[in-house]
Amino acid sequence: AMASISAAVKRVGADLGVIFDTDCDRAAVVDADGREINRNRLIALISAILLDEKPGETIVTDSVTSSGLKKFINDWGGEHYRYKRGYRNVIDEAIRLNKEGISCPLAIETSGHAALRENHFLDDGMYLVTVLIVRAMKLKQEGKTLGSLIADLKEPILGAEMAMELGIISLLANIIREIIALLTIPLFARFVGKEVPITVAGVTSLDVCLPLIRKYSGEEMVPVAILHGFILEFCVPLLVTFFCRF
């Protein structure tokens, strides 16, 4: 659906494309260049509009937004408040925070559900798009587009779809590696050395492969296997995070 509206915007040279779900409580837009403005981009866009009018307010979102969005909201003078997923959850939390004296003009989910305080926190995609269209027309008079408001948004390196694909590949690779380890541990222990099964097992030397390591490498190798698995379990997230910076 997003691809079709994007193509239509470029084909007719429109200033903006708008798309809703069937009951119009979720929305997304496409700028004049055909760029999809949804998920983190949509949150950034409406946040920029609201914070431009009144800095210092708190934007409530669900928990799966990017760190780039948090920085963007902070740079626009706002506070980013992540809450648990579910559009009703973020709306109720924004209402609660307002009652406690924390000014929250917006509750929005990455799915496109958005509720504005000025619209009584109704889950209303059409109202959200109306706010965007009004700002788009004002920006056009200045020779700008909606996209200019989110030019400084730092995008995730991987999109949600690509991240999901890589997650599935990683899961399958891990399952295959564990199967190979379970099948080869007896052979490595017998023909190569009793330490080798620990290396072959990787992080699973801590749990899945530990019974086989005990059986074929000996009871004395169990503490080594546990320590080996624990070190890998602890270090891998740190190393992955570090190398993904480059």
Side-chain angles (χ1 to χ4, degrees):
M2 289 299 293
S4 64
I5 194 72
S6 178
V9 167
K10 291 188 286 185
R11 185 174 62 253
V12 303
D15 294 311
L16 193 67
V18 175
I19 189 169
F20 301 99
D21 67 352
T22 52
D23 58 355
C24 295
D25 61 356
R26 289 188 296 160
V29 298
V30 174
D31 67 12
D33 297 322
R35 184 173 69 146
E36 298 175 5
I37 300 180
N38 53 7
R39 299 186 178 128
N40 286 294
R41 291 176 185 171
L42 182 63
I43 298 173
L45 180 58
I46 185 60
S47 296
I49 292 172
L50 295 174
L51 292 170
D52 185 47
E53 297 172 354
K54 189 175 180 182
E57 301 207 296
T58 297
I59 306 298
V60 180
T61 74
D62 58 351
S63 59
V64 295
T65 52
S66 69
S67 57
L69 177 65
K70 178 178 178 59
K71 183 178 185 304
F72 179 87
I73 291 173
N74 292 156
D75 290 345
W76 273 85
E79 292 293 328
H80 185 198
Y81 184 100
R82 285 192 181 101
Y83 197 61
K84 60 187 176 182
R85 299 187 70 178
Y87 74 92
R88 193 68 251 174
N89 291 326
V90 295
I91 291 173
D92 289 344
E93 184 65 7
I95 293 172
R96 186 189 70 80
L97 290 172
N98 276 289
K99 288 180 179 178
E100 291 188 359
I102 300 172
S103 184
C104 304
L106 174 67
I108 186 168
E109 231 194 353
T110 48
S111 63
H113 285 282
L116 281 77
R117 180 176 58 197
E118 64 188 56
N119 192 37
H120 310 289
F121 281 115
L122 296 176
D123 182 28
D124 190 345
M126 295 185 72
Y127 189 90
L128 169 68
V129 167
T130 301
V131 173
L132 298 180
I133 291 174
V134 170
R135 179 52 65 94
M137 295 302 99
K138 291 180 179 179
L139 288 170
K140 186 176 182 180
Q141 293 175 347
E142 302 171 7
K144 300 177 182 178
T145 65
L146 283 177
S148 65
L149 293 179
I150 56 173
D152 295 331
L153 174 64
K154 188 175 181 181
E155 304 264 13
I157 296 175
L158 298 175
E161 292 82 3
M162 180 62 74
M164 183 177 296
E165 290 179 9
L166 290 177
I168 293 172
I169 292 171
S170 177
L171 175 63
L172 291 174
N174 191 52
I175 292 173
I176 293 171
R177 184 188 59 77
E178 287 188 13
I179 292 173
I180 292 173
L182 291 171
L183 293 175
T184 58
I185 280 176
L187 298 175
F188 280 115
R190 181 176 179 181
F191 297 108
V192 183
K194 60 183 181 180
E195 300 86 359
V196 177
I198 297 175
T199 303
V200 173
V203 71
T204 59
S205 66
L206 180 66
D207 42 45
V208 175
C209 293
L210 187 59
L212 282 179
I213 292 173
R214 175 186 286 111
K215 179 176 180 179
Y216 292 100
S217 294
E219 193 71 33
E220 69 276 11
M221 299 306 298
V222 170
V224 179
I226 293 174
L227 179 61
H228 174 266
F230 176 79
I231 291 173
L232 289 180
E233 185 81 28
F234 179 78
C235 290
V236 167
L238 299 178
L239 293 174
V240 169
T241 302
F242 175 77
F243 285 111
C244 282
R245 295 176 181 269
F246 301 99

